[in-house]
């Protein structure tokens, strides 16, 4: 099974700041990676797919990058509505999710 | 628009079973897989498995074999997951989700909380 190691587990940042969340796969997943945002009490929402493609309706301050085993999600100019948990997911070989990153405002 | 509407919260006793539903609308039910995902409160997401309503084919991740059983009713566009032999470790939110083919999940149900307690 492919393991996904996500970091950091939690993150505190100020409004307007740029934040980066990372995921490392235990083997090459060929950019078959998605990022989700989950707000308390809600289901996850797709942000990024295929490592760097923005899902419909997602603000352009979100971006994804990476290849091979290393991937990252960047949020530019952090807004209050970005407070949430973020998860990566590989779909190269079935599915595995990262453990999540809880993003809070400083 | 695509919607996945899940059934309400469940409270069950250890050793019993619960059957969760996921009613799809806004797309051709038989053309897309339905996946089920588990999330314990405050924790990460676990993929349970999937069903293809078009042919009834199912797949279960190793951890959930024998625990979960998927079915689908094409007449009502509803997918079901039966969770059996419940233990407190089965207490969690359960989501249904629709992927693009078998890749990322572009639509999710609202989730249902299952609580297992005597």
């Amino acid at each position: 099974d492919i393991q996904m190691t996500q970091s950091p587990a939690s993150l505190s940042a100020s409004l307007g700041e740029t934040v980066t969340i990372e995921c490392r796969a235990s083997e090459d997943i060929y950019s078959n990676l998605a990022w989700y945002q989950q707000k308390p009490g809600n289901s996850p929402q797709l942000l990024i797919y295929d490592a760097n493609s923005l899902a419909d309706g997602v603000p352009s301050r979100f971006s994804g990058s990476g290849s091979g085993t290393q991937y990252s999600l960047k949020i530019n100019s952090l807004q209050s509505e970005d407070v949430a948990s973020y998860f990566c997911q590989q779909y190269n070989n079935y599915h595995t999710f990262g453990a999540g990153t809880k993003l809070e405002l400083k | 628009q695509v919607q996945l509407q899940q059934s309400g919260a469940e409270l069950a006793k250890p050793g019993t079973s619960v059957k969760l539903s996921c009613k799809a609308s806004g797309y051709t039910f038989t053309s897309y897989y339905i996946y089920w995902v588990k999330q314990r409160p405050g924790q990460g997401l676990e993929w349970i498995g999937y069903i293809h309503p078009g042919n009834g084919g199912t797949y279960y991740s190793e951890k959930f074999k024998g625990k979960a059983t998927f079915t689908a009713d094409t007449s009502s566009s509803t997918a079901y997951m039966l969770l059996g032999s419940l233990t407190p470790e089965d207490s969690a939110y359960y989501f249904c989700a629709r992927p693009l083919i078998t890749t990322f999940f572009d639509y999710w149900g609202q989730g249902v909380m299952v609580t297992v307690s005597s």
Side-chain angles (χ1 to χ4, degrees):
Chain A
D1 291 5
I2 298 176
Q3 308 302 315
M4 300 299 294
T5 303
Q6 185 172 342
S7 62
S10 63
L11 181 56
S12 182
S14 303
L15 292 174
E17 195 173 329
T18 295
V19 302
T20 300
I21 299 168
E22 297 187 339
C23 261
R24 184 181 78 248
S26 58
E27 62 185 74
D28 194 329
I29 57 171
Y30 303 97
S31 297
N32 291 309
L33 183 106
W35 290 96
Y36 300 89
Q37 177 192 69
Q38 185 180 31
K39 297 183 179 181
N42 289 340
S43 54
Q45 298 296 309
L46 179 68
L47 294 175
I48 301 285
Y49 63 93
D50 294 346
N52 58 17
S53 296
L54 201 63
D56 289 345
V58 175
S60 58
R61 62 180 180 274
F62 291 92
S63 63
S65 63
S67 62
T69 62
Q70 300 273 12
Y71 299 87
S72 62
L73 171 71
K74 186 164 77 170
I75 310 173
N76 286 316
S77 188
L78 188 69
Q79 305 294 304
S80 57
E81 60 264 32
D82 300 335
V83 170
S85 291
Y86 294 83
F87 297 92
C88 63
Q89 176 218 356
Q90 70 81 19
Y91 44 89
N92 185 65
N93 186 355
Y94 295 108
H95 303 265
T96 316
F97 292 92
T101 296
K102 187 174 183 179
L103 175 59
E104 299 175 324
L105 283 179
K106 191 179 291 183
Chain B
Q1 72 281 23
V2 174
Q3 289 190 327
L4 299 173
Q5 184 65 39
Q6 297 187 239
S7 45
E10 297 273 2
L11 174 61
K13 294 189 185 303
T16 65
S17 301
V18 292
K19 190 172 185 178
L20 311 181
S21 67
C22 173
K23 183 173 176 57
S25 61
Y27 72 97
T28 302
F29 181 61
T30 52
S31 295
Y32 292 83
Y33 291 86
I34 290 285
Y35 279 63
W36 292 87
V37 176
K38 178 182 180 181
Q39 184 175 38
R40 301 203 71 182
Q43 297 191 22
L45 300 160
E46 289 184 273
W47 164 63
I48 299 171
Y50 63 72
I51 184 168
H52 194 291
N55 59 24
T58 58
Y59 186 90
Y60 301 89
S61 70
E62 195 63 36
K63 180 178 177 179
F64 292 95
K65 286 180 180 175
K67 168 63 66 178
T69 304
F70 307 137
T71 56
D73 179 358
T74 57
S75 68
S76 63
S77 297
T78 303
Y80 298 92
M81 177 173 67
L82 177 70
L83 291 171
S85 303
L86 291 170
T87 72
E89 287 64 45
D90 296 318
S91 295
Y93 283 96
Y94 291 87
F95 296 94
C96 61
R98 194 202 81 169
L100 184 69
I101 314 176
T102 57
T103 59
F104 51 88
F105 303 120
D106 49 359
Y107 294 98
W108 294 71
Q110 81 275 23
V112 56
M113 181 68 199
V114 173
T115 303
V116 182
S117 174
S118 54

